[in-house]
Amino acid sequence: MRKIIRFGFLFVVLAAVSFVAAQEYRVISVTDGGTISGTVSWSGPAPHELEFPVTKDPQICEPGGKKTTSLERLIVGPDGGVANTIVYLKNISAGKPLNELPAQRRHLDQRHCHYIPHILLVPAGSELSMQSSDATLHTIHVDGAASFNLPFPFTNQVSTRTMSTPGLVNLRCNGGHVWMNAEMMVVSHPYYAVTDESGHYEFTNVPPGTYQIVAWHEGWTLAGKEQAYDVLTEKAVQRPLFTEPKTWEKSVRVNANAGSTVNFVIGNK
C-alpha cells in the first residue's frame, strides 16, 4: 500500500512539474494589461476540521492546553470563501516580471509547531528563507521538485535554499511533530495567487488574450497514516497521509484595460 501511495505521489509531482514548466516564460513590457479577479468558495456543509493528536512538546505546540491541533487542510471563512487555494494561469507564455509574486510567501516560519504560511509560492531560481520561532528541534523535510532535510535546533536562525526546479514541493517535520505539513509551488511565471481568508484572489497587468485559469487545492481528506521516525528520539511515529490535490479549470478572456471575473465553487461533490 505504501508503494502505491508513493507512486501516486510521484505522479502528482510530475503533473505539477508539467503544468508549471510546460513552456518557457518571457518577460515583456505589458501595455494595456487587464485584471482577473474572483473568489474560490465552498458548496455545501463544510467538513469537520482535520485534527491530529499533539504527541510532542505540548507546552510549545499547544500552549492553550488543547490535546489536538489543526492540520490546516481546509479553511472556510464565515462567508464560504476557501483560503489557501492556488489560482494560476495555465497557458501564459509572456508577461510581467517574476519578482512581482508576493515576497511573504517565500519566507517560512515554524511557530507553535506549524509551518507559516501553510502555502508557499517561490519563483524558480529564487531563495526560500526558513527559520523557527519554537524552542524545540524542528526539521523541514521536503520532497517533490526539491529534496532536502534541514534541522532547526536554534530559534530565529535563518537558512536559505535556492528552488531551482518548477513544481510541487511537500514539506513535513521529521522532528516528531508529525502533524506539521505545508505545500510549496515553485513557479516559472508570476500569474499565481493564493486565496486569502475570504477566498479572494487577483491578477494584475495580464496581457490581453484568452487563457485557461486553474484553481488548485491540496485536498482536505485523510488517506491514512504512514510510519516515520523522530530523528531526535529515533522512535517510530505515525504521520498523517493525505489524498491527492484537486483542480478545477475554466477559460477566461482578458481585454485591454479591462477586468475579468472568474469564480470557482468547490466542494465534496
Side-chain angles (χ1 to χ4, degrees):
M1 175 62 70
R2 188 175 177 183
K3 289 184 178 179
I4 294 174
I5 291 172
R6 287 299 182 194
F7 288 147
F9 168 74
L10 179 60
F11 173 79
V12 172
V13 171
L14 293 175
V17 171
S18 69
F19 76 60
V20 180
Q23 53 190 330
E24 186 174 349
Y25 179 78
R26 295 180 297 109
V27 175
I28 61 173
S29 177
V30 179
T31 57
D32 299 322
T35 64
I36 306 172
S37 62
T39 58
V40 178
S41 58
W42 183 264
S43 174
H48 293 295
E49 186 174 7
L50 290 180
E51 298 272 336
F52 205 82
V54 177
T55 53
K56 187 174 185 179
D57 297 325
Q59 71 282 4
I60 295 173
C61 301
E62 280 294 340
K66 285 182 61 180
K67 303 292 185 182
T68 62
T69 191
S70 172
L71 292 174
E72 301 180 301
R73 301 294 292 193
L74 179 65
I75 299 175
V76 180
D79 295 327
V82 181
N84 287 342
T85 306
I86 297 177
V87 182
Y88 66 94
L89 297 184
K90 182 177 179 180
N91 59 330
I92 189 165
S93 59
K96 64 185 182 180
L98 198 57
N99 61 13
E100 292 194 26
L101 281 165
Q104 69 268 25
R105 298 224 173 244
R106 306 177 207 174
H107 178 83
L108 183 71
D109 192 10
Q110 297 160 95
R111 192 183 316 149
H112 295 309
C113 305
H114 287 271
Y115 292 131
I116 301 173
H118 184 73
I119 300 293
L120 297 121
L121 284 179
V122 180
S126 297
E127 289 184 340
L128 170 67
S129 171
M130 298 160 283
Q131 70 178 68
S132 175
S133 297
D134 291 343
T136 188
L137 174 66
H138 285 309
T139 71
I140 297 178
H141 176 83
V142 309
D143 53 26
S147 179
F148 59 83
N149 189 56
L150 196 62
F152 288 82
F154 307 111
T155 59
N156 301 318
Q157 182 174 356
V158 178
S159 296
T160 60
R161 290 290 186 275
T162 298
M163 299 294 106
S164 301
T165 305
L168 178 63
V169 180
N170 299 97
L171 290 79
R172 305 290 183 265
C173 177
N174 278 349
H177 308 100
V178 292
W179 58 88
M180 292 179 68
N181 71 101
E183 306 294 341
M184 173 170 57
M185 201 69 76
V186 183
V187 303
S188 57
H189 69 72
Y191 298 100
Y192 280 77
V194 179
T195 55
D196 62 18
E197 293 179 355
S198 65
H200 180 263
Y201 74 91
E202 183 178 49
F203 301 131
T204 61
N205 213 19
V206 183
T210 299
Y211 305 99
Q212 292 299 114
I213 185 169
V214 178
W216 178 98
H217 194 282
E218 61 183 336
W220 49 81
T221 306
L222 278 174
K225 297 179 182 179
E226 69 172 349
Q227 182 169 292
Y229 289 92
D230 182 332
V231 295
L232 186 61
T233 65
E234 297 185 350
K235 292 182 178 180
V237 290
Q238 293 291 309
R239 187 188 353 244
L241 282 174
F242 304 105
T243 53
E244 293 184 355
K246 300 174 183 290
T247 60
W248 300 262
E249 186 170 332
K250 293 186 176 183
S251 179
V252 58
R253 173 68 189 175
V254 177
N255 295 317
N257 302 309
S260 299
T261 300
V262 180
N263 297 321
F264 291 91
V265 178
I266 70 175
N268 283 321
K269 293 183 179 181

